[in-house]
Amino acid sequence: MKMKKILPLSIALALILGAGCSKKAADSAMRNGIIAQTAMPEASDSAFSDFQTSGKGFSGTGYNGGKESSTTASSQSQAAERKIIRTGYMNIEVESLAETMNRITAMVQSMGGYISSTTEDARYLSCVARIPSSQFERAMNETSGLGKLKSKDISTSDVTEEYYDLQTRLDTKLILQERYQTYLKEAKTVEDLLKVERTLNDVTSEVESMKGKLNRMNSEIDFSTINIRANLPPNQTEQGYSLPDTGGMFRGFLGSCAGFFNGILFVLLYIVVFGVPIVLLIALFWWLCFGKIGLVRKLFNKVNAKND
């Protein structure tokens, strides 16, 4: 009877002790895990510093040889807006070049753009307009309405992947540049200082180059380009319609004829100046060798006489 009472008490006591030990073990494991996680960044930074000051540096465009950069750039380019560069070409026939240029300038300025270059002659003008991309289609339509449309062309270039890849590589280089600046402050020897400074200069140069290329791409994306060429109709000037200049055409014809006969005269003159002396020299050579004097002929006769 006593044994039956003692057995349940023993089992209950064993369960209580087991639960307490398990709790202590779990607390101990949790503390060890936290300590290990806290120590890992310090060890990583220490190893990173040793690796950097050893002069080995990094390879590739960023960490992991740039693989993360490419993956990130690809995912960004799919999720973000498309980056499109558009260029338009217009050739129109107008009645007045001055009026057309004024209308083009007013149109471009009203859309928030600007004229980057102009070329003007007596019969045509050419200009390059930079228009906000959102106004590109409107600008093309309004330009075609300035006169008689002769030709129109639009070219489009999708630079989305290239743009976001460059942006990601630039961000990675900026992080790397910041790290090197930190190492430069913490360098303890002159050798380490020189190594870090050389690498930092290379990274800074790459960063500036990437920034410049990215700025150019942003400019081409944000502002589309329209090349406009305007011509006057045939036989028309800025002052109005002009009849063909018959007198000028006749004078041109006479000038062409005079030039033709002048050329023939020069050919004959060359023949006389250079041809006659050459003919005389050939005649003299023949006279000396085979003519009356016949030096070569007499030599052959003597040789034949000896052989006989």
Side-chain angles (χ1 to χ4, degrees), residues 106-294:
M107 176 195 70
V108 171
Q109 291 178 350
S110 67
M111 296 180 183
Y114 60 94
I115 303 293
S116 62
S117 65
T118 58
T119 302
E120 190 169 351
D121 200 352
R123 296 190 47 78
Y124 83 95
L125 71 84
S126 176
C127 67
V128 179
R130 302 298 305 279
I131 303 291
S133 299
S134 59
Q135 302 290 331
F136 179 76
E137 295 294 340
R138 176 190 167 194
M140 291 291 289
N141 292 332
E142 291 192 12
T143 303
S144 62
L146 295 177
K148 182 180 178 181
L149 181 63
K150 306 294 287 185
S151 64
K152 176 181 178 180
D153 184 39
I154 298 175
S155 65
T156 302
S157 177
D158 189 346
V159 295
T160 305
E161 185 174 354
E162 180 184 358
Y163 180 89
Y164 286 112
D165 178 70
L166 179 62
Q167 180 67 67
T168 303
R169 289 191 290 115
L170 176 60
D171 292 340
T172 303
K173 287 293 183 180
L174 289 173
I175 295 174
L176 196 60
Q177 183 185 40
E178 185 178 352
R179 282 292 183 94
Y180 278 122
Q181 290 171 348
T182 302
Y183 297 145
L184 187 64
K185 296 176 182 179
E186 297 176 353
K188 298 179 180 179
T189 64
V190 176
E191 182 181 1
D192 291 344
L193 179 66
L194 293 176
K195 288 180 180 179
V196 176
E197 190 173 23
R198 281 196 300 268
T199 309
L200 178 60
N201 290 337
D202 293 340
V203 174
T204 302
S205 177
E206 293 178 7
V207 166
E208 295 302 323
S209 176
M210 289 180 181
K211 284 183 177 179
K213 185 176 181 180
L214 195 63
N215 289 335
R216 289 191 297 271
M217 291 182 69
N218 280 323
S219 176
E220 293 176 351
I221 292 168
D222 295 338
F223 282 82
S224 299
T225 302
I226 301 180
N227 298 277
I228 306 171
R229 180 184 174 91
N231 298 80
L232 291 173
N235 299 322
Q236 184 171 332
T237 63
E238 192 68 16
Q239 287 73 31
Y241 185 78
S242 62
L243 293 173
D245 186 4
T246 307
M249 295 174 63
F250 182 71
R251 286 191 297 271
F253 173 74
L254 292 179
S256 299
C257 292
F260 173 74
F261 289 110
N262 191 32
I264 292 178
L265 181 62
F266 271 102
V267 170
L268 294 176
L269 182 62
Y270 275 110
I271 291 174
V272 171
V273 173
F274 296 102
V276 172
I278 292 174
V279 172
L280 292 176
L281 288 174
I282 294 174
L284 178 62
F285 177 78
W286 177 265
W287 182 68
L288 291 174
C289 296
F290 303 99
K292 289 185 178 182
I293 296 178

